[in-house]
């Protein structure tokens, strides 16, 4: 099988080296005396040949291999594969070295000039990981005479993300009397991220800025939030918390179309009512007075708690969810070799109905030991859920869409133990996600379920101030 692969590879290299007739009768590959450089189309990449295992070097090194004996010195088990190359017609250029960071992609080009100079260029696109792996490049090229000059040029691409985030907050509390207090809060956030991409020639040490699209970028977001809240204890069984909130966000940068803004002004009020000592009800509603998008008249919610015994309680809640698309989902664009993502300015707001419930049992609860177990569940139904999805007409192109309907449901059982310096938490959950294809094919399940089990065990040694922890997740 290796022999067959090698012969096929050599046949391909021979076809590339001799050229093929185009429709106009001219050869697609320039001849050696044409005065034009030979391009990479004449080189065959041997780097990932499954039958060849290269012996790599630590330093950036280039070897021009012109014989089977030289090839055998650079390939593990090379005696067998060396026969696959006709060194009377071809040479092998082999380069290797060690990167300073993890490698995302390796690009290589070969160029032969008519004056007997050859250049193998290797471009290493690095990522942010701290691994420093060995790399290698091997190319089959037309025979390189011993008298010719062959050079290796290794370039490294590096990205720096320079982020500045400033958060300014101002808060004030005013207590009018024992039953009424007012809280004022003002926040301003300024976020700026600069992407700087550079290339470095490891042969000369020269460094320059990349001219590729989106390699140099500045993205900036600004946000204002102003909130006024009052707390009014009307009586021992009821209290109110009305408030007013204004939000404003602006984004700009090379990957954002224009300088868009989103703002809204909303009034909210919540209450806590305790008709009996064992029961409490917390209704709430949020109404939008002004918004730059289509918003509902009111967003209600209600939470309830029932104390069955001093050690057992049940909690039930319902909330009407509402989420506006962010500036990134509306206007942000991101394109590189691996991603093609565009915002969607036509996105609609996301709505949902959410129901949750839980039962808590404090099995042991004293100064020495606490053992508690909680059984909980939820059910959510979304309308126009915002999700990143691939365009079926354009491969690898993604944008944000509103999904017509989406549902999730699930439950969890959590047990926690606190005993002296020992802390143990065990959680088991089962989450179901809506299968949209089930509406067309009734044989498919409506939900796809995924289980999860996690455990955390820690012990605190007071004498030495040491914590020992164990984590497990499945």
């Amino acid at each position: 099988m290796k022999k067959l692969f090698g012969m096929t590879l050599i046949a391909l290299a021979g076809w590339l080296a001799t050229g093929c007739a185009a429709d106009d009768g001219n050869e697609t590959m320039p001849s050696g005396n044409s005065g034009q450089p030979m391009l990479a189309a004449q080189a065959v990449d041997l780097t990932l040949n499954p039958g060849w295992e290269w012996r790599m070097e630590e330093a950036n090194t280039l070897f021009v291999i012109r014989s089977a004996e030289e090839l055998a010195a650079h390939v593990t088990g090379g005696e067998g594969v060396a026969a696959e190359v006709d060194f009377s017609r071809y040479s092998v250029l082999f380069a290797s070295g060690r990167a300073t960071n993890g490698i995302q992609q390796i690009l290589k080009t070969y160029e032969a000039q008519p004056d007997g100079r050859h250049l193998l260029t290797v471009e290493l696109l690095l990522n942010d990981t701290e691994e420093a792996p060995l790399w290698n490049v091997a190319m089959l090229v037309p025979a390189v005479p011993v008298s010719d000059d062959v050079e290796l040029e290794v370039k490294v691409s590096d990205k720096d993300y320079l982020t500045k985030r400033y958060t300014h907050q101002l808060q004030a509390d005013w207590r009018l009397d024992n039953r009424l207090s007012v809280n004022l809060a003002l926040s301003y956030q300024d976020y700026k991220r600069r992407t700087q991409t550079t290339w470095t020639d490891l042969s000369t040490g020269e460094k320059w800025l990349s001219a590729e699209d989106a390699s140099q970028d500045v993205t900036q977001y600004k946000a204002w939030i102003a909130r006024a809240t009052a707390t009014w204890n009307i009586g021992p069984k009821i209290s109110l918390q009305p408030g007013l909130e204004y939000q404003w966000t602006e984004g700009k940068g090379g990957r954002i179309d224009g300088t868009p803004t989103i703002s809204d002004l909303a009034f909210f009020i919540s209450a806590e009512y305790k008709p009996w000592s064992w029961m409490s009800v917390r209704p709430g509603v949020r109404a939008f007075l002004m918004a730059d998008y289509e918003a509902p008249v009111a967003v209600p919610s209600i939470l309830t708690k029932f104390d069955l015994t001093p050690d057992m309680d049940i909690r039930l809640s319902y909330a009407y969810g509402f989420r506006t698309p962010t500036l990134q989902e509306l206007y942000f664009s991101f394109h590189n070799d691996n991603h093609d993502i565009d915002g969607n300015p036509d996105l609609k707001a996301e709505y949902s109905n959410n129901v949750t419930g839980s039962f808590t049992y404090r099995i042991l609860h004293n100064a020495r030991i606490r053992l508690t177990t909680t059984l909980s569940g939820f059910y959510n139904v979304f309308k126009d859920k915002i999700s990143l999805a691939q365009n079926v007409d354009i491969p690898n192109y993604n944008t944000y869409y509103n999904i017509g309907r989406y549902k999730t449901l699930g439950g969890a059982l959590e047990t926690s133990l606190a005993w002296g310096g020992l802390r143990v938490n065990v959680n088991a959950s089962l989450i179901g996600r809506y299968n949209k294809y089930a509406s067309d094919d009734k044989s498919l399940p409506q939900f796809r379920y995924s289980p999860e089990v996690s455990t955390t065990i820690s012990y605190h040694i007071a004498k030495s101030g040491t914590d020992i922890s164990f984590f497990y997740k499945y």
Side-chain angles (χ1 to χ4, degrees):
M1 187 65 182
K2 291 182 180 178
K3 190 68 175 179
L4 177 61
F5 179 87
M7 296 303 293
T8 304
L9 188 61
I10 299 307
L12 175 62
W15 177 79
L16 290 170
T18 56
C20 62
D23 292 340
D24 56 3
N26 296 325
E27 290 188 345
T28 59
M29 198 185 91
S31 60
N33 58 2
S34 66
Q36 300 294 325
M38 270 192 275
L39 302 178
Q42 297 174 260
V44 177
D45 190 358
L46 302 179
T47 308
L48 300 179
N49 188 329
W52 298 14
E53 183 178 347
W54 295 96
R55 296 189 178 101
M56 292 183 280
E57 303 288 334
E58 288 282 341
N60 296 332
T61 310
L62 172 66
F63 298 93
V64 182
I65 302 173
R66 299 184 175 91
S67 67
E69 292 76 18
E70 293 178 1
L71 177 62
H74 293 284
V75 178
T76 302
E79 296 80 2
V81 300
E84 299 180 7
V85 179
D86 181 0
F87 282 102
S88 64
R89 301 174 60 192
Y90 307 103
S91 297
V92 176
L93 302 183
F94 172 62
S96 68
R98 183 176 292 278
T100 56
N101 292 86
I103 299 175
Q104 177 177 324
Q105 189 177 5
I106 299 179
L107 305 176
K108 52 264 187 184
T109 56
Y110 166 73
E111 185 176 332
Q113 298 290 344
D115 56 358
R117 292 186 296 113
H118 305 256
L119 177 63
L120 176 62
T121 302
V122 179
E123 297 178 344
L124 305 178
L125 279 64
L126 305 182
N127 54 35
D128 294 333
T129 60
E130 296 182 358
E131 60 177 332
L134 290 168
W135 60 267
N136 70 292
V137 167
M139 303 194 79
L140 183 72
V141 301
V144 178
V146 178
S147 59
D148 284 7
D149 182 22
V150 185
E151 296 182 0
L152 171 65
E153 186 178 69
V154 180
K155 300 178 182 179
V156 175
S157 174
D158 192 17
K159 278 191 176 184
D160 291 320
Y161 300 98
L162 310 175
T163 302
K164 294 181 180 179
R165 185 194 300 269
Y166 299 98
T167 300
H168 313 272
Q169 291 183 335
L170 177 64
Q171 287 190 341
D173 289 306
W174 185 20
R175 180 173 292 275
L176 299 177
D177 53 39
N178 293 334
R179 299 199 305 171
L180 180 61
S181 63
V182 177
N183 175 267
L184 302 176
L186 180 65
S187 172
Y188 173 67
Q189 297 184 24
D190 189 356
Y191 171 89
K192 186 176 182 180
R193 171 168 161 164
R194 179 186 176 193
T195 302
Q196 185 181 66
T197 306
T198 58
W199 282 99
T200 302
D201 188 337
L202 298 183
S203 305
T204 63
E206 181 185 1
K207 192 173 184 178
W208 64 94
L209 293 176
S210 172
E212 298 175 3
D213 293 339
S215 60
Q216 316 296 333
D217 178 63
V218 177
T219 302
Q220 187 172 5
Y221 293 99
K222 298 179 180 180
W224 282 97
I225 299 177
R227 183 185 298 112
T229 307
T231 302
W232 183 19
N233 294 317
I234 299 176
K237 293 185 177 183
I238 185 170
S239 62
L240 295 177
Q241 191 178 55
L244 197 65
E245 183 180 74
Y246 174 74
Q247 297 189 51
W248 177 90
T249 305
E250 178 190 77
K252 62 180 179 181
R255 300 177 182 178
I256 299 177
D257 186 13
T259 309
T261 61
I262 292 180
S263 63
D264 64 68
L265 176 64
F267 169 79
F268 60 87
I269 184 171
S270 62
E272 183 174 9
Y273 177 53
K274 294 183 177 180
W276 300 282
S277 60
W278 52 270
M279 176 182 176
S280 66
V281 182
R282 293 184 180 180
V285 65
R286 185 182 185 93
F288 290 90
L289 307 178
M290 179 197 73
D292 292 337
Y293 42 81
E294 184 179 350
V297 176
V299 180
S301 66
I302 183 169
L303 293 81
T304 60
K305 179 185 176 184
F306 305 91
D307 294 326
L308 305 181
T309 70
D311 298 319
M312 290 188 291
D313 64 66
I314 293 178
R315 301 168 188 254
L316 300 173
S317 67
Y318 164 80
Y320 183 67
F322 170 74
R323 185 177 81 84
T324 63
T326 64
L327 283 176
Q328 292 91 330
E329 294 167 338
L330 289 168
Y331 304 106
F332 188 78
S333 297
F334 181 65
H335 301 277
N336 61 14
D337 294 334
N338 302 311
H339 303 86
D340 280 300
I341 301 175
D342 278 326
N344 182 0
D346 297 324
L347 282 177
K348 297 182 290 185
E350 175 183 302
Y351 300 86
S352 63
N353 290 280
N354 312 282
V355 178
T356 62
S358 67
F359 169 74
T360 301
Y361 179 29
R362 289 171 286 277
I363 303 170
L364 296 172
H365 194 74
N366 53 54
R368 183 169 172 267
I369 185 172
R370 294 190 301 273
L371 178 61
T372 305
T373 184
T374 300
L375 178 65
S376 61
F378 66 88
Y379 179 65
N380 305 315
V381 179
F382 297 88
K383 177 185 176 183
D384 293 329
K385 178 178 172 60
I386 300 172
S387 180
L388 183 65
Q390 190 175 54
N391 190 314
V392 295
D393 298 324
I394 307 176
N396 300 322
Y397 175 78
N398 297 269
T399 189
Y400 294 92
Y401 294 96
N402 288 107
I403 300 176
R405 292 185 69 83
Y406 188 75
K407 303 175 185 179
T408 59
L409 63 81
L413 177 63
E414 181 179 3
T415 301
S416 60
L417 170 67
W419 184 12
L422 179 65
R423 299 289 187 273
V424 179
N425 186 279
V426 180
N427 183 285
S429 64
L430 183 65
I431 299 176
R433 295 172 176 84
Y434 180 64
N435 184 3
K436 64 179 181 180
Y437 301 106
S439 58
D440 298 326
D441 188 348
K442 301 303 181 181
S443 64
L444 296 176
Q446 187 177 10
F447 290 90
R448 293 172 295 177
Y449 292 93
S450 57
E452 181 178 298
V453 178
S454 61
T455 302
T456 303
I457 302 174
S458 63
Y459 186 77
H460 177 72
I461 304 174
K463 183 176 293 186
S464 61
T466 304
D467 289 298
I468 302 174
S469 300
F470 169 80
F471 305 94
Y472 173 80
K473 186 175 183 179
Y474 172 77

